[in-house]
Amino acid sequence: MSFRGVFGACSSALAAGILAAAVIALASGLSAQRMPTALGPGGIGALTEVAPQGFVGSAACADCHAQETRAWLSSQHAHAMARAEPQTVLGNFDDARVTHQGSAARFFRDGARYMVEIEGADGKTAAFEITDTFGVHPLQQYLVTFPDGRRQALPFAYDTRPAAEGGQRWFHLYPDQAIAPSDVLHWTGMQQNWNFMCAECHSTALRKNYDAAANRFDTQFSEISIGCEACHGPARGHVDWAAGKRDGQTPHKGFASVAAVRPAADWAIDPATGSPAHGVARPAGDMVETCARCHARRGIFSEDWRPGAPLTQTHLPTFLSAGLFEADGTMQDEVFNDHSFKQSLMYARGVTCGDCHEPHSATLRAPGSTVCAQCHLPEKFASEAHTGHAPGPKAPDCISCHMPARTYMVVDKRHDHSFRIPRPDLSARLGTPNACTDCHADKSAGWAAEAIARWHGPERKGFQTWAQAFHEARRGDPAAREGLIRLATTVETPAIVRATAVNELRALPAMATEEAVQKALADPDPLVRIAAVQAMAGQPPDMRWRRLSPLLADPVAGVRIEVANQLADQALAGLSAADRDLLAAGFRAYEAAQRLNADRPEGRSNLGGFLLRRGDVAGAEAEFRAGLKLQPDLPALAVNLADLYRVTGREREAQDVLERSIKANPGAAAPRHALALGLIRQKRYAEALDQLRRAYELEPQTPRYAYVYAVALQSLGRPKEAATVTSAALRRSPYDADLLMLALNSALGAGDVARARDAAAKLALLRPDDAEIARLAARLR
């Protein structure tokens, strides 16, 4: 499993769903109800007694930065988290009762304490004290602190919007699901754990402090909420500088590091286009990277973040992966704003978050779409010639057309920040969303595409041109290869798109793919280099060492750590002293990154796999077993442990692990498939076939399960059933190489030339460098 397994959502079975990131994302517009504005001990901006060295607290900034402090106090950042007190709690605790699909909660007061009566981890109803508030608008969540240091987010949140907008009510965050106490989504489960899921982006200078041996947290922060130093870094040196000579010789005015400052921009509008004629160079480590720390879908591998560094120095952003983003790059799951914005032409031209949002209050610099008029001529873009709609109060504006919204957490409406041109023509072809039919829900995408063609002509222009390639790649279609290579190797393509293209190319091996990956290893953007390093998985050891070892000295930690992961099976003996030191340092860094996330079964699994490749079987076993202790019903971890037992000759123990996993999670396919392989090794074919069938039926969309089941059927003299399974699987996965090879052999054996021709033609596209396949396809034409 790759380094991305714990840090990049949805890139593996273990990673799926763990990066919902902050339980509530911050948005502009703060509810004024009972929000404290005082700075000082115990209040907003107060420094805790356990603050890391160098931190002073936001209250220390107020005297010199009064205007910024006032703006910050009005922001959601200042109120992202607080102790549960009368001035911070917005919910109704007047014996309020709420029910949801068989579960219920009662919110009440016990003297000064805020309480909830709700089902606990044991399935029994009990009263719990609420210790903290979490967020303010449009919803507020509440945390319960347990004796082992865990803070857990309750499943019922309070809608803080005005009653006229549907607010002032309790509601369940998973309205369509009944969540049992054994479910990881239960409020006492790991997916609702503040320490890992939320804390870094709702507090300042967080240290998770997980004790793996005791399975406890001692999580600490310098401020309970998001203070000045969350973005500017520790300010002790700056405060000392301000109290001293304030000379021009002290770097960064006493800060250890600062976000890079963008050169002066010329946003003068070209009357012909209605937009600025010029862009501006974007320095590395600018304001956008500071915001990305919390406004990106990402994982963390180091708590030593500092402004001015690329995000990949301490965090690993996800790619534009299926399930998170639509094929055209628009947001699908809860991914926040960074990945969307970095796909935009505005980002490419040098625009930063602060050009539209005042950094301290987080409010727009002008209301609504008038913020766009800072750089675009309203009269040009509000015209009927541009929008196709007559001007008026109901006419669409910049935001409705270029920043379509989705609602998350039931009531939290968020706008896509990729600023893309509406493309209903892509919707008609690829099924992607578009702003036109978001509004005209009763119309088809084809109808909208025809309307836009009437207004603007048949040629569709736009900066984002990757929908087709990503759509084909997600289908496994080899037609995607050329487009992906073009995206991956064109420097003008946004880096997040280049990285995604490299990642998608892993499924389409070819000499051309290999050349593109090799070029990406030297890409100027670290996320692209990380994708290229990961794409080297499975290559021969000597090739991996030759191509990856130079990156052990990469300036970005995320790259070095992934290189160490890919070189885990490289022996230190025989290397030069310099290479040995670099590789050993990389190994230590990778292990430290996983141990930072030892509270997660994914982190344990990653470390176990790494140690196993390093030859530490006992260490790997301990990590796999620890991961299963954290989440006993996690199928992928059980399979990993069973594989370890198998390769070390402990077949009986492997079978026991898999059988326990099946009992704990009977709906999981992976342990059944793995168990079947073990039964085949024991020549228990009837039992094995039953488990293969169950795995296939539980997860028919996984080509491997269909392929192995079909091969087993064929081997047991049931070719018709095998052909039926293969055909059905190929309808779901028409470009799976193993299934195509099976279909090809079956067709050739049956003398079915048409079916053999189709399979061979697809295989030739999948494996363009395979001369034998090419000759066979040519003969069958």
Side-chain angles (χ1 to χ4, degrees):
M1 178 175 297
S2 76
F3 170 46
R4 177 168 295 276
V6 69
F7 302 125
C10 299
S11 62
S12 71
L14 286 174
I18 71 165
L19 290 178
V23 174
I24 176 172
L26 300 175
S28 60
L30 175 63
S31 170
Q33 303 178 59
R34 304 194 303 278
M35 284 292 98
T37 57
L39 288 161
I44 295 176
L47 188 70
T48 65
E49 295 179 354
V50 293
Q53 186 175 4
F55 285 83
V56 296
S58 298
C61 308
D63 287 345
C64 296
H65 301 284
Q67 181 177 341
E68 291 82 358
T69 299
R70 283 193 297 272
W72 169 71
L73 284 169
S74 72
S75 75
Q76 291 207 38
H77 286 133
H79 306 282
M81 183 171 165
R83 295 293 300 168
E85 296 170 344
Q87 66 269 32
T88 61
V89 172
L90 303 179
N92 174 11
F93 280 78
D94 188 16
D95 200 36
R97 299 169 187 263
V98 60
T99 60
H100 168 73
Q101 297 203 17
S103 63
R106 180 171 72 96
F107 295 90
F108 64 100
R109 296 285 299 272
D110 178 14
R113 300 192 303 165
Y114 289 86
M115 305 292 293
V116 61
E117 193 174 78
I118 194 171
E119 176 188 66
D122 58 1
K124 299 177 181 177
T125 298
F128 300 89
E129 180 182 3
I130 289 169
T131 54
D132 306 278
T133 67
F134 209 60
V136 284
H137 184 82
L139 66 153
Q140 186 173 69
Q141 290 184 262
Y142 300 93
L143 305 179
V144 171
T145 301
F146 285 87
D148 60 4
R150 283 173 171 78
R151 281 183 168 103
Q152 300 290 136
L154 291 168
F156 294 99
Y158 194 75
D159 186 339
T160 61
R161 299 173 301 165
E165 298 177 15
Q168 302 302 299
R169 65 188 177 98
W170 291 100
F171 67 95
H172 200 281
L173 289 162
Y174 298 91
D176 301 324
Q177 299 181 50
I179 300 174
S182 58
D183 196 314
V184 292
L185 287 176
H186 191 263
W187 76 271
T188 59
M190 67 173 58
Q191 296 301 81
Q192 307 302 334
N193 172 242
W194 166 88
N195 310 72
F196 173 82
M197 296 291 290
C198 326
E200 186 197 10
C201 290
H202 280 253
S203 300
T204 302
L206 188 98
R207 297 295 182 266
K208 186 168 60 172
N209 293 337
Y210 175 69
D211 183 339
N215 191 22
R216 297 176 59 88
F217 291 93
D218 182 24
T219 304
Q220 300 173 350
F221 38 69
S222 67
E223 291 180 48
I224 194 171
S225 198
I226 301 170
C228 307
E229 291 166 298
C231 299
H232 294 284
R236 167 51 59 196
H238 177 66
V239 170
D240 291 344
W241 169 85
K245 297 181 180 180
R246 300 191 182 210
D247 60 82
Q249 305 303 312
T250 304
H252 310 311
K253 298 181 180 180
F255 282 106
S257 62
V258 297
V261 178
R262 183 188 63 195
D266 177 10
W267 300 131
I269 300 174
D270 180 351
T273 65
S275 299
H278 306 287
V280 62
R282 175 184 301 285
D286 68 351
M287 170 191 285
V288 179
E289 285 298 274
T290 296
C291 299
R293 181 189 177 198
C294 290
H295 289 275
R297 183 81 174 234
R298 84 295 178 274
I300 180 173
F301 59 83
S302 171
E303 294 179 327
D304 295 326
W305 176 86
R306 290 292 182 268
L311 183 62
T312 43
Q313 199 70 268
T314 50
H315 296 73
L316 189 64
T318 186
F319 301 129
L320 303 179
S321 306
L324 297 179
F325 295 87
E326 304 285 356
D328 64 351
T330 53
M331 62 186 188
Q332 181 179 358
D333 200 353
E334 194 172 10
V335 292
F336 314 105
N337 301 326
D338 179 71
H339 283 56
S340 298
F341 183 49
K342 285 177 177 174
Q343 296 176 63
S344 71
L345 180 60
M346 290 173 66
Y347 179 79
R349 293 286 177 86
V351 175
T352 69
C353 311
D355 289 318
C356 298
H357 299 270
E358 198 287 317
H360 296 96
S361 67
T363 56
L364 286 174
R365 291 192 178 275
S369 63
T370 58
V371 73
C372 307
Q374 295 180 113
C375 297
H376 302 279
L377 286 177
E379 56 269 27
K380 184 174 181 67
F381 294 105
S383 68
E384 188 170 355
H386 180 72
T387 68
H389 295 70
K394 293 186 178 180
D397 61 9
C398 310
I399 292 173
S400 58
C401 289
H402 299 289
M403 300 184 71
R406 287 198 175 192
T407 299
Y408 301 95
M409 303 187 75
V410 184
V411 300
D412 196 357
K413 183 178 179 181
R414 304 186 196 163
H415 291 278
D416 189 284
H417 278 62
S418 55
F419 303 101
R420 64 187 64 239
I421 293 173
R423 292 291 305 271
D425 59 310
L426 290 180
S427 302
R429 294 202 330 263
L430 311 179
T432 52
N434 72 88
C436 304
T437 53
D438 280 354
C439 185
H440 298 279
D442 60 330
K443 303 293 186 181
S444 70
W447 169 87
E450 290 174 4
I452 288 181
R454 288 196 306 272
W455 304 334
H456 297 286
E459 277 300 308
R460 295 280 65 80
K461 300 176 182 178
F463 181 68
Q464 292 109 343
T465 59
W466 35 90
Q468 185 72 39
F470 288 167
H471 173 76
E472 292 169 346
R474 291 177 181 188
R475 295 176 64 238
D477 190 337
R481 185 186 288 109
E482 183 179 347
L484 292 174
I485 289 173
R486 184 174 61 254
L487 290 171
T489 56
T490 302
V491 72
E492 290 79 16
T493 302
I496 181 62
V497 178
R498 298 202 304 275
T500 303
V502 172
N503 184 59
E504 295 287 356
L505 279 169
R506 296 173 65 177
L508 296 169
M511 289 178 64
T513 295
E514 188 178 324
E515 291 172 5
V517 169
Q518 189 168 358
K519 182 176 180 180
L521 289 170
D523 193 277
D525 189 90
L527 186 59
V528 181
R529 299 199 297 276
I530 289 170
V533 172
Q534 292 174 347
M536 293 295 297
Q539 296 290 355
D542 60 335
M543 180 188 290
R544 275 186 286 124
W545 173 256
R546 187 171 64 253
R547 293 186 178 173
L548 297 184
S549 57
L551 292 176
L552 286 168
D554 193 278
V556 176
V559 179
R560 299 194 301 271
I561 289 173
E562 185 55 44
V563 169
N565 182 36
Q566 295 300 335
L567 296 178
D569 55 353
Q570 174 68 46
L572 293 173
L575 299 179
S576 69
D579 283 344
R580 186 169 59 249
D581 290 346
L582 285 172
L583 186 56
F587 288 162
R588 290 192 297 273
Y590 181 86
E591 184 169 344
Q594 303 310 317
R595 294 205 182 281
L596 176 64
N597 291 286
D599 55 314
R600 303 292 300 187
E602 309 90 275
R604 297 290 195 155
S605 182
N606 284 354
L607 183 54
F610 174 79
L611 293 174
L612 190 60
R613 283 176 285 134
R614 294 291 306 135
D616 183 357
V617 175
E621 180 182 355
E623 293 301 322
F624 291 150
R625 291 173 66 88
L628 281 172
K629 189 174 181 180
L630 290 171
Q631 189 177 347
D633 65 345
L634 190 59
L637 245 177
V639 171
N640 287 348
L641 180 58
D643 281 347
L644 180 149
Y645 288 150
R646 175 182 57 79
V647 298
T648 54
R650 299 153 70 182
E651 195 73 58
R652 179 66 254 178
E653 290 176 82
Q655 185 171 328
D656 289 344
V657 166
L658 295 170
E659 287 175 346
R660 286 196 299 271
S661 179
I662 291 168
K663 185 176 180 180
N665 194 343
R672 292 185 182 276
H673 181 78
L675 177 60
L677 299 181
L679 292 169
I680 289 171
R681 289 190 292 272
Q682 299 173 46
K683 297 183 170 37
R684 295 161 62 180
Y685 299 124
E687 296 171 76
L689 189 66
D690 182 60
Q691 293 297 340
L692 289 175
R693 176 185 59 80
R694 296 287 301 279
Y696 166 65
E697 291 174 347
L698 286 167
E699 210 170 294
Q701 71 276 15
T702 301
R704 185 66 184 172
Y705 297 159
Y707 169 75
V708 176
Y709 180 42
V711 169
L713 286 167
Q714 199 169 58
S715 300
L716 293 174
R718 297 158 67 175
K720 289 185 178 180
E721 292 175 74
T724 299
V725 170
T726 304
S727 297
L730 279 170
R731 285 194 292 273
R732 285 183 290 266
S733 305
Y735 295 101
D736 182 78
D738 289 334
L739 288 170
L740 285 170
M741 188 62 75
L742 193 61
L744 174 62
N745 290 332
S746 173
L748 289 172
D752 189 339
V753 176
R755 191 158 59 96
R757 182 186 302 119
D758 178 68
K762 289 179 178 177
L763 278 167
L765 291 173
L766 278 169
R767 300 176 177 175
D769 307 315
D770 191 320
E772 185 177 345
I773 290 291
R775 284 193 296 270
L776 178 59
R779 286 202 306 270
L780 290 169
R781 287 195 191 104

